[in-house]
Amino acid sequence: MVIWAPKRSEFFTMPPQDNYAQEWLEQLAIHEFRHIVQMDKLNQGITKILGVVLGEQAVGAVSALLPGWFYEGDAVATETALSHSGRGRLPSFYMPLRAQFLEKKIYSLEKAYFGSYKDFVPNHYVLGYHLMAGIRKNYGAEVLNTSVNYVARNPFPFSPFSRGLKRATGKGQWELYDEVMTELDSVWSLQYKNNSYTPFDIINKEKKVEFTNYKYPQFLNDSTIIAEKAGLGTIQKFIAISKTGEEEVIYTPGFSNNVTISCKNNKITWWEYNYDIRWQNRVYSDIWVYDILSKKKKRVSTRKHYFSPALSNEADRIAAIHISPINDYTLEILDATTGEVLDKIVTPGNYVLFTPSWSDDDTKVLFVYLTPEGKGIASYDLYHKELSYITSPSAIEIALPVLHKNIIYFQAAYSGIDNIYALDMESDSIYQVTSARFGAFHPSLSPDGKTLYYTDYTAMGSNVVTAPLDRAKWIPLQSITINKNPLTEPLVAQEYGPIDFTQGDKQLYQVTRYRKLPHLFNFHSWSPVYLSTADYGVNPGVTFLSQNKLSTSVASVGYEYSLNEQAGRFKASYSYTGFFPMIDLSYSFGDRGGIYRDSSYFNWRESTFQISTKIPLNLTHGKYLMGVTPNVGVLHLNISHKSNTPDEFRKGNAYVAYYQLTAYRQIKTAYKDIAPRWAQSITVNYRQTLKGNLWYNPQFSAEGKLFVPGVIKHHSTKLTLSHFSQPVSDALNFLPVITFPRGYILQFNNRLYKTAIDYKFPLCYPDWGIRRLMYLPRIKANLFADYAIGYNRENRREYQSVGLEMIAETYLLEFAAPFDLGFRYFFHPSTTFSGIQFLVSVNLGSL
């Protein structure tokens, strides 16, 4: 990833198992460096002047004026043009868009970019590549240069990028989108009509009401197929599909990226992430085995980096790809029960290895290897300890080889559409076995080798299908129909050809030791106003921001003049996350202001110093996100009077300690879920005065939340129980930390007991918008009821509130994060008082 403010690029060096035929670090270098070029290109004109005033955050802010599909589309186009592979050449990359066009329709640009809960929409990488490559094909590569120049020199809201495109092409982004997508639709429609397709029978019979993928079919027995199922409204599951199409959930795995499953002898194996308890970027991938008959699971490895495990036919051994932290790639044979490494295969060139599988007699293991020249298929003989390279490496995408007798079945992109191919090892000939409309993947065979199982892609998701193997209908590789990508050749012609990473001065950048202490501070941005990161507030003043290269040391220093209080103060904060406990420091000093009982204005002087430490423990396990965070801190507060401060206004100092414990447990969620189907959380707070003459009453609060499924899929019920208490005395009181019943103004209570129930559900998915202004993918609602009992000394109060919240999830002015805009209607049964409150929030976490 590439991030500005502070500007840096971070590479995650472990390649995924679905990586295409390009060395991983070279791919990252091309793609991510293109993002650096994009950001650097923005640093000109008015944006460069703003950089003097604001630092690096100026470019970061202006970059938000360009759509995300531009950044990723341009980078994918670059990786495609400057390599022999790249996602733009992969049929599987543009397959979802092609299937959408041919089976459904061309969606609006707003829907294509911001997405939909109703329909599956390819991500902004796919959209961006086709749009950017199409614009370059029709108008030349300099169009993008001109357009970005315009944004940098005119960084004003309301579609500056579209205006830049219009200056260069005469058309804005919406007109260009319609033009490029219509051209693609015409080419793909013609190719579709000119191809012939192989018949098959669909195994999964359940009617699809939303996009759902069935993947990795595995033959369990004559009547049952095991597969992975996931979709817009379904979390990843392993299921059994009977001959009649009936489905049974076998197991719900944990978190993983592109997991493959292997099923043999009533056992299933897969890999999933094993998270470090503390460090976010230290993640392991371990192997699990599930016994279908006993319904027991077992972790075979612990804190390792294993991928694509495959069970032997007797299910006593596992072949898996292991990647070390320094990127040594090995094929390892493990004992399926103990995890003991029985054999380790190393390639002479330390090639990247992918997706192993066993031969029928368990004497050989096949796998895909990646060299600088591309991908090929290799075999390892377990008894003779011999490594054989069966096919020469090439830039053609191949994956998942399966050996039956003397024929290797695998998926490949020879024709411009992914299909299943067969390599006859006796004749060394390759044949096309399937001819799919959009793509055929994940080959698997019945034990007798007469029936092929695979997945066939559609606009509603992939299906598990089966077809008899009839060699007479196979097409020799030299006779297959080629479906060319209309964008690749024009794109490549505009560049100077693939980058040769073997050339150049490898000593240009010397590796040196990074010393943390001298690099704790890196002031990258500043502003002539005070920016509050806590509440996103803006006041007159000045702010300086620092963040080190490791993102473990973050600081801000500034002066704020509060318009509300008509007073100014110095503020500083510092966080260090490089230790096991996180440490936060903050300091403020200056004047505060307020209004006295007679409405006269007065000032006082206040200083605060706070130190706290917390340990965010990640306990995620299986399908549940789990964690516990203890937090302890001490605050020193000092208040002194000024000339206009009333004598009776409090003054002095206090040392206050606070303790907090939060814990949560939440099941994985589907894309369409408004809230988790099952989840629990609890937060406990305690605050007390340690010493000083400003004495605060100790305060205790606790709040627990429980999420359970609603009556319909994607509906959610939340039950909240809260308690707050502090003694009755003349001492000062802390503000309560739990929310008050809705529709009430906060009232003082020494004790408060509250319960609330919320029923959240989607109302509709409009997928409707107005160009440049807004796009509305979902409207959701929440029925609520709050009940609380409060005690002010001995006075008992009841609070009752019921009502409805209506929220429109909306994208405004092409901003990439959605806003929740709506209202709350509340009614208090005890007083018959009612009212309407407007609700506004923005989900910055989606960026």
Side-chain angles (χ1 to χ4, degrees):
M1 60 182 178
V2 169
I3 300 175
W4 241 240
K7 58 181 180 181
R8 65 193 188 278
S9 179
E10 298 181 9
F11 284 11
F12 294 83
T13 58
M14 197 160 290
Q17 285 288 285
D18 60 347
N19 188 41
Y20 50 83
Q22 173 80 21
E23 202 282 327
W24 176 246
L25 292 178
E26 294 178 0
Q27 170 193 329
L28 290 180
I30 299 173
H31 183 101
E32 300 304 326
F33 186 73
R34 185 63 172 186
H35 289 316
I36 294 175
V37 171
Q38 293 163 352
M39 294 293 128
D40 189 63
K41 185 68 176 173
L42 285 172
N43 192 24
Q44 58 173 301
I46 294 178
T47 302
K48 191 166 187 176
I49 296 172
L50 289 173
V52 176
V53 180
L54 302 175
E56 292 174 7
Q57 65 182 342
V59 173
V62 172
S63 70
L65 299 176
L66 287 90
W69 58 257
F70 158 74
Y71 293 109
E72 298 304 345
D74 179 53
V76 172
T78 302
E79 79 184 32
T80 303
L82 298 183
S83 73
H84 292 291
S85 188
R87 275 167 283 189
R89 301 176 192 263
L90 300 183
S92 59
F93 181 72
Y94 52 83
M95 173 186 68
L97 194 65
R98 183 171 173 268
Q100 174 202 308
F101 284 9
L102 298 179
E103 288 196 326
K104 293 191 174 184
K105 64 179 182 179
I106 300 174
Y107 299 141
S108 68
L109 175 57
E110 290 78 18
K111 181 170 179 175
Y113 178 35
F114 295 119
S116 168
Y117 295 100
K118 181 170 56 178
D119 301 299
F120 172 75
V121 176
N123 63 31
H124 59 290
Y125 287 78
V126 178
L127 165 68
Y129 167 74
H130 289 88
L131 191 45
M132 300 307 298
I135 293 172
R136 287 181 59 165
K137 179 179 77 70
N138 293 342
Y139 299 95
E142 281 302 307
V143 168
L144 306 182
N145 185 47
T146 303
S147 302
V148 176
N149 285 344
Y150 181 84
V151 175
R153 297 165 185 171
N154 303 271
F156 310 114
F158 306 110
S159 304
F161 184 59
S162 185
R163 294 198 302 272
L165 287 171
K166 194 160 189 176
R167 277 179 166 244
T169 67
K171 300 176 181 178
Q173 61 177 320
W174 291 274
E175 292 78 15
L176 290 169
Y177 172 80
D178 293 339
E179 176 184 88
V180 171
M181 298 305 152
T182 301
E183 290 178 3
L184 286 172
D185 185 40
S186 298
V187 173
W188 287 338
S189 295
L190 183 61
Q191 291 178 351
Y192 185 84
K193 292 176 183 177
N194 291 337
N195 288 337
S196 58
Y197 306 103
T198 51
F200 53 75
D201 293 320
I202 299 177
I203 300 296
N204 50 284
K205 305 293 186 182
E206 284 191 4
K207 183 180 179 181
K208 292 184 178 181
V209 295
E210 59 191 14
F211 182 90
T212 306
N213 274 326
Y214 292 81
K215 294 182 177 180
Y216 309 111
Q218 303 282 306
F219 189 92
L220 181 63
N221 53 50
D222 291 337
S223 61
T224 307
I225 295 295
I226 301 295
E228 177 207 293
K229 179 180 181 180
L232 284 180
T234 306
I235 63 174
Q236 181 189 42
K237 299 175 181 179
F238 300 154
I239 63 168
I241 310 174
S242 69
K243 274 187 175 181
T244 58
E246 295 177 351
E247 298 181 8
E248 177 187 356
V249 176
I250 299 297
Y251 184 75
T252 302
F255 296 86
S256 61
N257 177 25
N258 192 41
V259 66
T260 56
I261 63 174
S262 174
C263 178
K264 297 289 175 63
N265 199 19
N266 291 302
K267 292 183 173 65
I268 303 174
T269 188
W270 71 99
W271 71 268
E272 62 186 49
Y273 291 127
N274 178 14
Y275 296 92
D276 186 271
I277 194 171
R278 168 66 178 86
W279 306 110
Q280 182 178 352
N281 286 341
R282 182 185 289 165
V283 183
Y284 305 95
S285 49
D286 287 315
I287 298 173
W288 289 80
V289 173
Y290 180 79
D291 190 311
I292 298 174
L293 299 181
S294 67
K295 298 184 178 181
K296 293 182 178 179
K297 63 177 181 178
K298 178 180 177 60
R299 183 161 63 184
V300 177
S301 67
T302 303
R303 296 171 71 87
K304 301 290 185 180
H305 296 101
Y306 282 115
F307 301 94
S308 300
L311 281 166
S312 63
N313 291 283
E314 295 299 321
D316 60 338
R317 288 172 292 171
I318 295 174
I321 305 302
H322 182 262
I323 306 177
S324 76
I326 58 172
N327 282 40
D328 287 332
Y329 307 98
T330 55
L331 170 65
E332 297 189 1
I333 310 301
L334 311 176
D335 184 291
T337 302
T338 65
E340 178 188 356
V341 178
L342 305 176
D343 201 352
K344 181 182 292 188
I345 298 90
V346 180
T347 58
N350 190 32
Y351 301 144
V352 186
L353 308 179
F354 307 92
T355 58
S357 67
W358 295 77
S359 62
D360 299 334
D361 56 4
D362 285 347
T363 62
K364 296 180 180 179
V365 174
L366 266 70
F367 56 93
V368 173
Y369 68 100
L370 172 63
T371 75
E373 289 74 39
K375 282 185 174 181
I377 298 175
S379 172
Y380 180 74
D381 190 312
L382 294 165
Y383 289 101
H384 297 96
K385 307 297 182 182
E386 292 179 353
L387 179 64
S388 303
Y389 297 102
I390 298 172
T391 66
S392 299
S394 74
I396 298 295
E397 179 62 19
I398 59 175
L400 298 169
V402 177
L403 175 62
H404 179 74
K405 294 184 178 179
N406 64 339
I407 297 179
I408 300 174
Y409 298 89
F410 60 99
Q411 69 182 53
Y414 292 112
S415 70
I417 296 175
D418 284 284
N419 272 298
I420 309 301
Y421 290 82
L423 168 60
D424 188 324
M425 298 181 67
E426 291 183 358
S427 63
D428 199 28
S429 299
I430 297 177
Y431 301 88
Q432 181 177 326
V433 177
T434 67
S435 180
R437 296 180 305 155
F438 307 113
F441 307 90
H442 319 135
S444 178
L445 274 72
S446 60
D448 60 9
K450 296 181 179 179
T451 306
L452 175 67
Y453 295 87
Y454 62 99
T455 57
D456 178 79
Y457 187 83
T458 75
M460 288 296 288
S462 55
N463 297 310
V464 172
V465 302
T466 181
L469 284 170
D470 185 355
R471 185 160 182 165
K473 296 181 179 179
W474 294 0
I475 304 172
L477 185 61
Q478 60 270 22
S479 302
I480 66 175
T481 301
I482 305 298
N483 299 269
K484 288 188 175 182
N485 185 320
L487 300 177
T488 305
E489 291 181 2
L491 191 65
V492 172
Q494 293 174 350
E495 299 292 347
Y496 294 99
I499 297 173
D500 185 354
F501 283 90
T502 64
Q503 302 299 314
D505 184 3
K506 295 184 179 180
Q507 301 302 315
L508 184 61
Y509 298 103
Q510 296 292 330
V511 177
T512 59
R513 181 179 178 185
Y514 180 85
R515 298 184 181 276
K516 298 178 182 178
L517 187 59
H519 296 92
L520 281 180
F521 297 98
N522 171 37
F523 284 95
H524 57 83
S525 299
W526 44 88
S527 65
V529 294
Y530 184 82
L531 303 174
S532 172
T533 56
D535 56 10
Y536 304 103
V538 178
N539 269 318
V542 63
T543 311
F544 296 90
L545 303 174
S546 169
Q547 181 173 317
N548 69 341
K549 299 298 184 182
L550 299 179
S551 300
T552 56
S553 175
V554 180
S556 69
V557 180
Y559 176 81
E560 176 189 27
Y561 184 84
S562 172
L563 295 176
N564 289 332
E565 297 186 9
Q566 300 180 33
R569 53 180 170 163
F570 169 82
K571 289 185 174 182
S573 65
Y574 178 74
S575 296
Y576 187 76
T577 60
F579 299 137
F580 196 83
M582 299 171 62
I583 298 174
D584 295 309
L585 303 170
S586 66
Y587 174 75
S588 69
F589 174 78
D591 291 347
R592 301 289 306 276
I595 298 176
Y596 200 54
R597 297 169 186 168
D598 60 359
S599 299
S600 61
Y601 184 82
F602 70 96
N603 293 105
W604 71 92
R605 180 150 293 174
E606 180 179 295
S607 67
T608 64
F609 176 76
Q610 182 174 324
I611 180 170
S612 66
T613 180
K614 62 182 177 182
I615 307 176
L617 301 177
N618 187 346
L619 306 178
T620 295
H621 180 74
K623 61 186 177 182
Y624 286 97
L625 288 164
M626 296 188 291
V628 175
T629 302
N631 187 1
V632 177
V634 175
L635 167 70
H636 174 252
L637 171 68
N638 183 271
I639 296 177
S640 59
H641 284 192
K642 299 194 71 174
S643 59
N644 66 340
T645 309
D647 292 337
E648 59 269 35
F649 184 76
R650 58 179 183 168
K651 67 177 178 178
N653 67 87
Y655 289 87
V656 176
Y658 58 90
Y659 318 90
Q660 183 183 71
L661 180 69
T662 61
Y664 63 90
R665 180 176 182 266
Q666 171 190 319
I667 198 170
K668 293 195 295 185
T669 57
Y671 179 68
K672 294 181 70 170
D673 289 339
I674 291 179
R677 296 181 68 249
W678 297 100
Q680 308 86 38
S681 71
I682 186 169
T683 302
V684 179
N685 288 281
Y686 183 73
R687 294 188 281 186
Q688 65 177 137
T689 306
L690 299 178
K691 67 176 184 177
N693 58 349
L694 288 175
W695 197 263
Y696 289 83
N697 283 317
Q699 182 191 89
F700 171 82
S701 68
E703 184 169 82
K705 297 178 182 179
L706 172 66
F707 291 84
V708 297
V711 296
I712 300 175
K713 193 174 182 181
H714 309 308
H715 289 212
S716 178
T717 303
K718 180 179 73 171
L719 176 65
T720 304
L721 298 174
S722 307
H723 170 64
F724 156 81
S725 63
Q726 55 189 6
V728 176
S729 75
D730 294 331
L732 300 169
N733 290 303
F734 297 111
L735 291 175
V737 295
I738 65 174
T739 57
F740 215 58
R742 280 163 276 202
Y744 284 93
I745 298 175
L746 179 64
Q747 298 179 8
F748 177 78
N749 289 278
N750 295 109
R751 285 179 294 152
L752 185 72
Y753 303 88
K754 175 193 160 188
T755 181
I757 186 168
D758 293 78
Y759 188 84
K760 300 183 178 183
F761 56 98
L763 278 177
C764 59
Y765 307 107
D767 288 355
W768 175 83
I770 302 174
R771 284 185 175 181
R772 294 184 174 88
L773 295 180
M774 55 85 69
Y775 171 68
L776 179 62
R778 178 166 66 181
I779 298 176
K780 51 194 176 183
N782 178 39
L783 298 172
F784 68 86
D786 296 343
Y787 178 73
I789 299 176
Y791 295 90
N792 181 9
R793 297 184 183 272
E794 297 303 319
N795 296 322
R796 183 179 185 275
R797 303 166 175 166
E798 285 193 10
Y799 308 93
Q800 301 175 28
S801 179
V802 295
L804 167 69
E805 295 172 344
M806 295 279 287
I807 303 292
E809 190 173 319
T810 312
Y811 292 87
L812 297 175
L813 302 176
E814 303 177 63
F815 187 59
F819 288 80
D820 275 355
L821 306 176
F823 68 90
R824 172 190 296 144
Y825 170 78
F826 62 87
F827 175 74
H828 297 164
S830 58
T831 63
T832 69
F833 177 72
S834 63
I836 293 178
Q837 298 171 324
F838 292 99
L839 307 174
V840 180
S841 64
V842 58
N843 181 16
L844 294 175
S846 65
L847 295 175

